[in-house]
Amino acid sequence: MNSLILAVVGVGMMMAGYLLYSRFLARRVYTLDATFRTPSHELEDGVDYVPTNKFILWGHHFTSVAGAAPIVGPAVAVIWGWLPAFLWVTLGTVFFAGMHDLGALWASVRNRGQSIGSLSARYIGARGSRLFLVVIFLLLLMVNAAFAVVIAGLLVSTPTAVIPTWGALVVAVLIGQAIYRFKWNLPLVSAVGVAALYSLILLGDRVPVVLPETVLGLSPEAFWIIVLFVYAAIASVLPVWVLLQPRDYINGLQLFIGLGLLYGAVLIFRPEVVAPSFNTNVPEGTPGIMPLLFVTVACGAVSGFHGIVSSGTSAKQLDKETDARFVGYFGAVGEGLLALGAIIATTAGFRTLADWEEVYSAFNEGGVAAFVTGGGSILNAGLGIPTSLSATILATMAVLFAATTMDTGVRLQRFVVQEIGDVIGVKLGTVIATVIVLVVCLGLTFSAGADGSGGMIIWPLFGTTNQILAGLTLAILAVMLVRKRRPVLPILIPLVFVLFISVYALIIQLGGFLAEGNWLLLVLDVIILIAAVWVIVESAVALNRARTATPEADDEDERDSVVTGGGSQE
Amino acid sequence: MRERWRAFSAGLHEFYVAPYRRTFARARRDEDDLFRLLVMSEMLGVPNPASYYTAELLPVLYDGFHDWHRRMGMERSPLENYRCC
């Protein structure tokens, strides 16, 4: 199989999904109305509620939802062969992710821009919002732990990425200063920033930084993990304009450049896919494809985190309700393209099947490092960029994705910890709350050993939690549609599938953790399992209630939310 | 051409500021609230040596006063001579 065919078929499927299926959803299921007065107009305040051009909003939405997860998940999942990962990413984007993200936007817009947390309280029940808090806390915990391991692994496997990774922080700080302190022209600052970043990549490629076998008694991976968490903690308490904002911005630009380079190289080079379509010779210890494939690839196929972004910020800025189709559905397509790029890089970027099998020698062994190696060789062959430099570009891209998510994740988790403190009557300051987050995350990361491998063991657990969150959003959509007596099967089938797969995967993983005697992950698994069962029960009750209730008018949810004083609780 | 460049520049600016607009607005509001508290401290029973100067600012702060006391959890204005609702 030629990778160009894979790219063309994959992109074609996702574009067809956008042109045909999203049109069906927009017209028949969500019945988007261009004349509906969206919250950005009704509650316009220049802060949260601002009518925004749909292309710019798509840019925000896409860069907010895209992170390292659509690279890591597919890069791990191709161990079962390229075809299952390809089918789950493409069909998942079309029938799950696009529908979910568009639906989350629609639900929030119809409820004065309320977040998924508020909507779960309203449509699933009061317990729904508490459930949401539990799930979001676990999700952030796992994101931080897993991404720290991903970055540390890349810094060790690709030492040429060390200078650009840390140098990007200096570039971001300078961008922030140039814009806020010196009021410099943004296009100029952007051009200089991107040029500086790529100069650092060139420098890093010439000067690799390899740590000795032990640093302060720690392995290089463990050392980088600790440094990363300390950095993320400092970044999370700094004013956002100093680091987080310019870092997100430069990372957004990098995302578009990286995607363009990868697909451009595939178009020119057209490498053969060397990995088998179905891998019947999986390494020993690889878990079964069913159900693990569907939780290993979460972002890129379906992700509950997108619902948080859709209802948290995007819905408040939607100019017209009909723009939701482009912003929500096409935003999911963007993430699907990133996942497809990862599949191509990790299956077509090797010379022979033996080379590929050598990299994929065990479950979790290939992963994002395979993306860097494979993608690097495609960039080299397609665009003539030297192999080492290509690998450095892709490693830096993956690290920046993971690091920006980690910065924000630590910050958000600190807020959650402070909220929990408020609930139990303890006032937690910024520093104390950040230290608590740090200790919990480090505890999880090092739960499976001193090398920090615990962060990657939980990857499928992260996928499960993310999909339970997606299940919660889908349950809200289903209840809304049943109340209105609209077609509900396009939501109900994915909802049942996602929850079934999540519970199935959790039970399988439970057995694994029990056999390993990994009590920390076992307890985490049990908590998530309880949350999953909770979502199923609450959803079933809410759906039954909606089915037997009197049908409601199209704008009834909106009127209700006015009466109950709905608004963002973020 | 110039129009297109201007639109591009505006779009890029929006791309930069929008994700953190809420954070900045909240920080600005917190700062304003603190300033309002300082200006009104005398009226709230807290001695303020600078009240001779800050009193001049009271009319300027009147516009946002209603939102402020609601935000502070007071349904009605706490000041007898400062009525807004």
Side-chain angles (χ1 to χ4, degrees):
Chain A
M1 167 68 77
N2 191 286
S3 61
L4 185 62
I5 298 175
L6 208 61
V8 169
V9 173
V11 173
M13 282 169 76
M14 288 189 239
M15 290 312 293
Y18 172 66
L19 294 173
L20 303 173
Y21 190 56
S22 80
R23 177 175 298 196
F24 162 75
L25 291 172
R27 287 188 179 174
R28 297 287 176 82
V29 179
Y30 301 128
T31 59
L32 303 183
D33 178 3
T35 61
F36 178 77
R37 196 166 155 77
T38 57
S40 71
H41 289 282
E42 196 181 349
L43 305 167
E44 186 172 357
D45 60 1
V47 180
D48 292 335
Y49 300 88
V50 183
T52 306
N53 175 289
K54 70 174 178 180
F55 295 103
I56 291 171
L57 188 56
W58 177 82
H60 288 165
H61 185 81
F62 177 38
T63 51
S64 301
V65 297
I71 297 174
V72 180
V76 172
V78 292
I79 198 162
W80 292 292
W82 63 263
L83 189 58
F86 173 79
L87 287 176
W88 175 225
V89 162
T90 47
L91 296 175
T93 297
V94 171
F95 294 106
F96 288 67
M99 171 276 293
H100 168 277
D101 297 7
L102 165 58
L105 259 179
W106 167 75
S108 180
V109 163
R110 285 279 158 174
N111 284 279
R112 295 164 63 85
Q114 287 187 80
S115 67
I116 290 296
S118 309
L119 292 179
S120 55
R122 177 167 154 67
Y123 289 102
I124 307 293
R127 289 185 299 263
S129 58
R130 286 195 284 276
L131 179 60
F132 171 79
L133 263 180
V134 171
V135 175
I136 196 75
F137 177 81
L138 292 172
L139 196 64
L140 289 170
L141 177 67
M142 286 187 274
V143 161
N144 293 334
F147 282 14
V149 178
V150 167
I151 299 171
L154 277 175
L155 293 179
V156 172
S157 67
T158 320
T160 52
V162 173
I163 288 179
T165 294
W166 297 107
L169 299 180
V170 180
V171 173
V173 168
L174 292 177
I175 288 179
Q177 296 290 327
I179 288 169
Y180 278 97
R181 215 174 275 279
F182 304 115
K183 313 281 181 205
W184 285 359
N185 175 287
L186 185 58
L188 179 71
V189 173
S190 311
V192 173
V194 170
L197 185 63
Y198 277 83
S199 304
L200 284 167
I201 289 175
L202 280 170
L203 178 68
D205 192 49
R206 294 262 175 99
V207 190
V209 178
V210 183
L211 294 183
E213 271 186 31
T214 54
V215 187
L216 306 171
L218 299 164
S219 68
E221 283 90 353
F223 174 77
W224 281 128
I225 288 170
I226 291 172
V227 170
L228 280 162
F229 272 116
V230 171
Y231 149 72
I234 294 170
S236 77
V237 295
L238 285 175
V240 291
W241 71 269
V242 174
L243 186 59
L244 291 191
Q245 187 179 28
R247 196 159 152 73
D248 277 1
Y249 176 71
I250 197 84
N251 194 41
L253 298 182
Q254 165 82 350
L255 168 64
F256 293 116
I257 296 170
L259 264 181
L261 285 177
L262 191 58
Y263 276 94
V266 169
L267 192 66
I268 296 167
F269 176 43
R270 304 188 294 276
E272 282 294 319
V273 175
V274 296
S277 52
F278 280 100
N279 190 8
T280 49
N281 187 28
V282 290
E284 203 178 329
T286 305
I289 187 169
M290 180 70 189
L292 262 290
L293 166 72
F294 300 97
V295 291
T296 303
V297 185
C299 300
V302 60
S303 165
F305 178 69
H306 294 201
I308 308 290
V309 176
S310 294
S311 64
T313 51
S314 302
K316 296 178 180 70
Q317 298 177 64
L318 206 67
D319 185 22
K320 285 189 289 192
E321 195 181 53
T322 42
D323 290 350
R325 189 178 155 216
F326 182 73
V327 175
Y329 198 98
F330 204 66
V333 169
E335 179 130 311
L337 289 176
L338 192 56
L340 181 60
I343 291 173
I344 292 172
T346 50
T347 56
F350 297 89
R351 285 194 317 124
T352 61
L353 176 60
D355 285 353
W356 183 81
E357 282 179 334
E358 197 179 322
V359 172
Y360 280 89
S361 57
F363 189 62
N364 270 339
E365 270 300 308
V368 75
F371 168 76
V372 170
T373 317
S377 67
I378 293 175
L379 285 192
N380 168 249
L383 303 175
I385 304 171
T387 311
S388 164
L389 183 60
S390 302
T392 309
I393 292 172
L394 290 181
T396 308
M397 179 176 141
V399 166
L400 289 186
F401 279 154
T404 43
T405 310
M406 208 181 140
D407 299 342
T408 315
V410 170
R411 190 180 179 84
L412 290 176
Q413 207 174 5
R414 188 232 304 165
F415 294 147
V416 175
V417 167
Q418 284 176 317
E419 262 188 54
I420 293 170
D422 284 345
V423 170
I424 59 173
V426 181
K427 181 89 181 146
L428 293 171
T430 302
V431 175
I432 298 290
T434 306
V435 169
I436 292 172
V437 170
L438 219 61
V439 169
V440 174
C441 288
L442 281 170
L444 185 59
T445 312
F446 288 101
S447 64
D451 59 348
S453 57
M456 268 328 276
I457 292 175
I458 58 163
W459 182 260
L461 217 50
F462 155 76
T464 317
T465 315
N466 204 3
Q467 290 187 354
I468 290 170
L469 196 59
L472 200 58
T473 306
L474 292 177
I476 291 166
L477 295 177
V479 170
M480 285 179 75
L481 293 170
V482 169
R483 278 189 182 190
K484 293 176 191 304
R485 301 295 185 265
R486 300 235 192 105
V488 74
L489 281 181
I491 283 84
L492 210 54
I493 294 170
L495 168 66
V496 171
F497 181 79
V498 160
L499 291 179
F500 168 73
I501 284 293
S502 300
V503 172
Y504 189 2
L506 282 165
I507 292 169
I508 300 262
Q509 286 171 320
L510 196 69
F513 295 141
L514 194 64
E516 289 166 16
N518 193 332
W519 302 109
L520 183 69
L521 295 186
L522 186 81
V523 169
L524 209 56
D525 192 305
V526 170
I527 294 171
I528 299 166
L529 192 58
I530 292 169
V533 173
W534 194 355
V535 170
I536 292 168
V537 172
E538 294 281 355
S539 306
V541 171
L543 276 170
N544 190 46
R545 209 168 38 227
R547 193 175 57 82
T548 51
T550 318
E552 69 176 25
D554 269 356
D555 63 344
E556 198 159 310
D557 39 14
E558 185 207 354
R559 280 189 277 119
D560 278 1
S561 72
V562 175
V563 172
T564 54
S568 170
Q569 291 184 7
E570 299 238 329
Chain B
M1 190 66 186
R2 187 172 289 177
E3 272 304 304
R4 282 189 182 173
W5 174 252
R6 201 169 291 158
F8 171 74
S9 192
L12 207 59
H13 184 257
E14 183 69 12
F15 186 62
Y16 188 85
V17 298
Y20 288 90
R21 190 159 32 209
R22 182 205 315 227
T23 311
F24 289 124
R26 291 212 168 153
R28 194 178 302 126
R29 195 176 66 185
D30 288 348
E31 211 169 284
D32 288 349
D33 283 349
L34 183 65
F35 182 68
R36 194 184 307 276
L37 198 67
L38 285 171
V39 172
M40 294 183 165
S41 56
E42 194 83 32
M43 298 169 78
L44 293 162
V46 181
N48 178 4
S51 64
Y52 176 78
Y53 303 99
T54 55
E56 275 186 48
L57 293 168
L58 287 172
V60 182
L61 296 180
Y62 186 77
D63 280 348
F65 180 71
H66 178 69
D67 288 340
W68 175 77
H69 76 70
R70 295 284 295 259
R71 223 171 21 249
M72 296 300 126
M74 292 172 275
E75 194 59 29
R76 300 277 162 195
S77 165
L79 305 177
E80 278 193 9
N81 54 344
Y82 228 74
R83 287 280 153 223
C84 54
C85 51

